[in-house]
Amino acid sequence: MAGSAAKRLFLIDGTALAYRAHFAFATAGPRGGLSTKDGRPTSAIYGFTTTLNALLEREQPDAVVVSFDGPHADLARTKVYAEYKSTREKMPDELVWQLDIIEQVVNAYDIPIVRSREHEADDIIGTLAVQAREAGIAAFIVTSDKDFMQLVGPRIRLWNLRASTRAPEIIGPAEVEAKFGVRPERMVDLLALMGDASDNIPGVPKVGPKTAAQLLADHGDLDTVLAHAADVKRPALRQALLDHADDARLSRRLVLLHTEVDTGIDVAGLTPPKPQRAPLETLFRELEFESLLKALPAEEQPEIATEYRVVEDEAALDALLARIQDAGAVALALEATGSDPLRTKLVGIAFSLSPGEADYVPLNAHPPVLRTGADAVLERMRPVLEDTTIAKASADAKRDLGVLRNAGVALGGLRFDTMLASYCVAPNLSGHDLDALALRHYSHRRTSAKPDAGTKKQKTFAEVDVTEVGRGAGADADFALRLRERLAKQLAEHEVSGVFTDLELPLVPVLLDMEREGIAIDVGHLEQLATDLSGRLGQLEEAIYALAGEPFNVNSPAQVGEVMFARLELHKSGGNVRPKRTRTGQFKTDAATLEALAQHHEVPRRILEYRQLAKLKGTYVDSLPKLVNSTTGRVHTTFNQAVAATGRLSSDNPNLQNIPIRTEEGRNVRRAFVSRAPDWVLLSADYSQIELRILAHLSGDETLIESFRNDEDIHARTAALVHGLAPDAVTTELRTQAKAINYGLMYGMGASRLARETGMTPPEAKQFINAYFKALPGVKRLLDHNLETAREQREVRTMFGRRRPLPEIDSTNAMQRVAAENMAVNTPIQGAAADIIKRAMLAVHARLQERQLQARLLLQVHDELVLDVPEAELPEVRELLADAMRGAADLDAPLEVTMGHGRNWIDAH
């Protein structure tokens, strides 16, 4: 290291940076910040860490120190002024929890942390900056806080990273003067005159930064300004200075940074940060920071001895296939020409029989592996690929099955899918693809060959050098093999082998068949619907303009905010909505804000309607025709198994789970999904109140079970029990209240939420819940049992063994703990419903094949299955479907299925 004069010390106000990151993300989108899949907030941690990474990468500092406020950090100033910072809101609970994790991150970067019991982080940083200056060390204070400008001078600068993609703002004396009109040495006086509402520093009323700068330019310093207050020409300003001279002097004491705090740090002895890979990996995995995991220093990767070969001739190919036959088990990885599952073509296959080794068989080699060409190579491999006695492992079995099917090969012996195994073991973690798993389990960043996507000369794997592709495919197969061994043990350890083997893995070919079948779309209906919606959107725009008094861009959140809050000031005339701004300074107009205003005003109500229609039009009406496959003439959604922690399937391209069913517009979209031919129909089968039936079964509550067995209106029966009424005396309002609580209790509903949803007062809602539990004691016992089990085992399970870890169930952070408690209550029920419909899908698919029927399973949406059925097969398929779905689970409250059929999806309901 160079002499001390060359050293550069960066000083970070950890508390301020955490606040800044937390609120920046909290206002950046409708979800209100970043969080893990199980609901733990991570905005502050992520923002802090990315800023720290950017600083280290850009500056490569000689030393870094982070300071946090201590337990009594403002004590030194509250002794002077008891009201100091008294108007500040309490730190949010979700941020308190994150500060502890941020300290762990800082420690893992090998960066010292300094705090004082009585002094704020500002004072510690000021002290260290002055000490650095005196030691000949250049100090950079990482901040956007104007209070630190009083320290700017020789060897002290402010360093403000405004965005990770832009150069930092470096503030020296010239920048201070340009911004505030005074030199750094006069900043304390300027701040004293201005005051600071956020810290409750009084200052002088009517004095802003420009006025303060002019006063100091005229008189020199604060004392002189106050001494000549009577000479100020502006009456209001003169009186303010005379009346608040003592406030200004007090404010000066408050804004002046203390630079003689005992920090216990020798700045000359500080050394550069040395990030420790192991603890950072642990933290980033737990926090689901996959991008930060990938950014960890590559040189710290453990060495992995590998040998990835490319099969070049017939002798090598035959030898490889013989070894696979002898081994009886192999991991494979496929390379293909593209991502379209129906059109992508096989380029080559890699096989791995032992860790660190793999052999890649290309179909596009020049010269070819077999003189007779690629088709002959595939035919030579076919017996091994289709042999059901040779166990196959894959990192994405559904994709690989599809690619091989396109090539005319039916893969046999599929025994393992690393993605699904990881999902069964740890459904609360995000990222179960091979990249994430290799990094998570082996600290290995894969570097497989990738085509030049996004360029005009974009290549496919068929055009990339065979040796390069072989190395990447070999690594994929190798890590699929390694992960198979590791994850198989974890499946057993966590007792989820049955969920993997009996449910998730067998579902793969079922979902693949559904995706490849696709569903027909009435494009003409959608085109007419698009025209109708365009007309309605235009009418809504005109109505909004008339109500607002002028035209504006309804699609612009910034303009909507200006109209509602700046022009119409709707928040002042009902709604109890306090205007909030985004990090870019514009008014927030998210759904929650508009919904609150819409209770009292027509403009936000119409804007919400406009947004709903515009979203429906853009997401489905306009996009569905573009998704029709030109070869099949149908839309082919993709089903995702390894996403939802509850076990539910999701779908995308298009997302069929979110098409509204309760609105006329949503029903019109569903009307566009049709059977494949005029003599075919769509058959829809929906579980009736499946989650309530599971609740009855798990709770063993005799009243609930009896109601379902007798096919009673469960909500009316519940209302009658709670209110002590005869069933025929239950009103619609009472039934609605009972329905809200029947479903709401499974999702952590309390008295306040029940009151909001039903119009009850909170005391009435609390009394209703108490009466509910008294009438249905088994439900109360079940919910209490689920919570107790979760606290003991830090996880919950469905009746079929699916697990959901709940690491935050005993968190000291109230928000995180309550979220985990809600998951503990609803996951055994919601997860069981997901398991049951998957079991039903397996049974329906198998029976259709056994009976060699033409009917095909097409869609799974929530608790519903949709089939395409020839009219001639309809009676048989209805009976088969009802029997399979009812038989998917043996519940004390029997499963019931409602069915309908029609030419389109809506008519089938």
Side-chain angles (χ1 to χ4, degrees), residues 685 687 836-848 851 857 865 867 876-890 895 897 899:
Y687 278 119
I836 287 172
I837 201 160
K838 286 180 176 179
R839 289 161 63 94
M841 292 168 71
L842 290 173
V844 171
H845 186 266
R847 293 182 194 186
L848 290 174
R851 301 188 190 184
L857 183 58
L865 298 180
L867 289 78
E876 182 178 2
V877 175
R878 284 179 65 95
E879 180 182 358
L880 174 157
L881 182 60
D883 184 62
M885 291 182 71
R886 290 184 182 126
D890 183 14
L895 291 170
V897 179
M899 282 192 287

Side-chain angles (χ1 to χ4, degrees), residues 217-496:
D218 292 341
H219 299 287
D221 59 23
L222 177 64
D223 290 328
T224 308
V225 169
L226 298 177
H228 292 83
D231 300 331
V232 174
K233 294 181 179 179
R234 287 166 49 194
L237 178 59
R238 179 175 62 246
Q239 197 60 47
L241 289 168
L242 291 170
D243 292 345
H244 295 278
D246 288 342
D247 286 340
R249 295 184 184 97
L250 170 64
S251 298
R252 180 170 54 186
R253 295 182 64 187
L254 296 175
V255 300
L256 180 66
L257 293 177
H258 302 172
T259 58
E260 296 181 356
V261 179
D262 182 9
T263 64
I265 290 286
D266 174 17
V267 293
L270 292 171
T271 56
K274 297 177 182 177
Q276 307 298 304
R277 185 180 181 87
L280 285 174
E281 276 189 35
T282 301
L283 285 167
F284 293 166
R285 286 175 187 158
E286 177 69 21
L287 297 166
E288 301 170 13
F289 291 165
E290 298 294 340
S291 61
L292 292 179
L293 269 171
K294 294 176 182 177
L296 286 173
E299 61 270 15
E300 293 191 23
Q301 290 182 183
E303 289 294 327
I304 301 175
T306 58
E307 184 180 2
Y308 302 143
R309 301 171 289 264
V310 175
V311 172
E312 296 179 343
D313 53 38
E314 184 173 11
L317 176 61
D318 289 342
L320 170 62
L321 296 176
R323 295 204 322 271
I324 295 172
Q325 289 276 12
D326 292 342
V330 67
L332 49 83
L334 276 58
E335 297 294 8
T337 56
S339 58
D340 185 332
L342 294 178
R343 297 172 181 168
T344 188
K345 295 182 179 179
L346 183 65
V347 173
I349 307 176
F351 300 90
S352 179
L353 293 166
S354 59
E357 295 187 15
D359 294 271
Y360 177 65
V361 182
L363 300 183
N364 62 331
H366 299 289
V369 174
L370 297 180
R371 285 180 299 173
T372 45
D375 290 344
V377 175
L378 189 59
E379 285 304 313
R380 187 72 62 90
M381 291 190 289
R382 182 187 295 276
V384 164
L385 292 171
E386 295 188 342
D387 191 335
T388 59
T389 66
I390 299 176
K392 316 293 194 313
S394 166
D396 186 349
K398 179 153 66 70
R399 181 257 185 188
D400 289 351
L401 283 170
V403 172
L404 286 171
R405 188 178 297 187
N406 289 348
V409 175
L411 183 67
L414 178 64
R415 300 286 191 276
F416 208 86
D417 182 323
T418 61
M419 179 186 296
L420 295 180
S422 173
Y423 171 65
C424 290
V425 168
N428 56 314
L429 297 182
S430 63
H432 300 282
D433 61 2
L434 194 58
D435 282 338
L437 294 181
L439 188 61
R440 185 176 299 151
H441 290 275
Y442 294 99
S443 302
H444 179 73
R445 189 176 296 108
R446 293 169 58 251
T447 55
S448 58
K450 294 188 182 297
D452 300 324
T455 67
K456 291 183 179 180
K457 296 181 179 180
Q458 183 171 340
K459 297 179 180 179
T460 70
F461 279 112
E463 300 166 293
V464 179
D465 178 73
V466 167
T467 302
E468 186 180 355
V469 175
R471 283 197 301 269
D476 290 353
D478 175 20
F479 278 95
L481 180 80
R482 300 184 194 205
L483 286 162
R484 180 190 68 185
E485 302 304 319
R486 176 165 294 191
L487 290 170
K489 292 179 182 178
Q490 293 185 0
L491 287 169
E493 289 170 1
H494 291 290
E495 299 180 343
V496 287

Side-chain angles (χ1 to χ4, degrees), residues 595-615:
E595 285 165 3
L597 285 171
Q599 297 177 27
H600 304 272
H601 303 288
E602 188 67 16
V603 172
R605 188 154 49 241
R606 295 292 183 95
I607 292 174
L608 281 170
E609 184 181 356
Y610 180 93
R611 286 184 178 179
Q612 182 182 25
L613 290 182
K615 181 179 180 181

Side-chain angles (χ1 to χ4, degrees), residues 699-722:
S699 68
D701 190 279
E702 291 297 332
T703 301
L704 278 180
I705 292 171
E706 180 186 2
S707 294
F708 281 119
R709 285 177 174 171
N710 294 336
D711 199 25
E712 296 176 350
D713 181 333
I714 190 65
H715 304 309
R717 176 71 186 276
T718 301
L721 286 168
V722 170

Side-chain angles (χ1 to χ4, degrees), residues 602-713:
E602 188 67 16
V603 172
R605 188 154 49 241
R606 295 292 183 95
I607 292 174
L608 281 170
E609 184 181 356
Y610 180 93
R611 286 184 178 179
Q612 182 182 25
L613 290 182
K615 181 179 180 181
L616 190 71
K617 183 176 182 293
T619 305
Y620 294 109
V621 179
D622 293 338
S623 66
L624 279 172
K626 301 173 185 176
L627 295 175
V628 174
N629 186 284
S630 60
T631 303
T632 67
R634 296 193 285 272
V635 168
H636 301 265
T637 190
T638 298
F639 291 99
N640 307 305
Q641 283 175 271
V643 174
T646 58
R648 288 273 189 188
L649 293 171
S650 67
S651 66
D652 52 50
N653 293 320
N655 177 0
L656 300 177
Q657 312 291 328
N658 291 341
I659 302 177
I661 185 63
R662 291 185 172 86
T663 66
E664 182 58 33
E665 294 80 14
R667 287 191 289 272
N668 269 331
V669 172
R670 290 189 174 216
R671 197 167 276 115
F673 292 80
V674 297
S675 58
R676 70 186 62 196
D679 57 346
W680 286 57
V681 294
L682 293 184
L683 174 61
S684 168
D686 200 346
Y687 278 119
S688 173
Q689 300 175 322
I690 184 172
E691 292 186 352
L692 289 178
R693 293 173 187 272
I694 293 168
L695 174 66
H697 173 80
L698 295 177
S699 68
D701 190 279
E702 291 297 332
T703 301
L704 278 180
I705 292 171
E706 180 186 2
S707 294
F708 281 119
R709 285 177 174 171
N710 294 336
D711 199 25
E712 296 176 350
D713 181 333

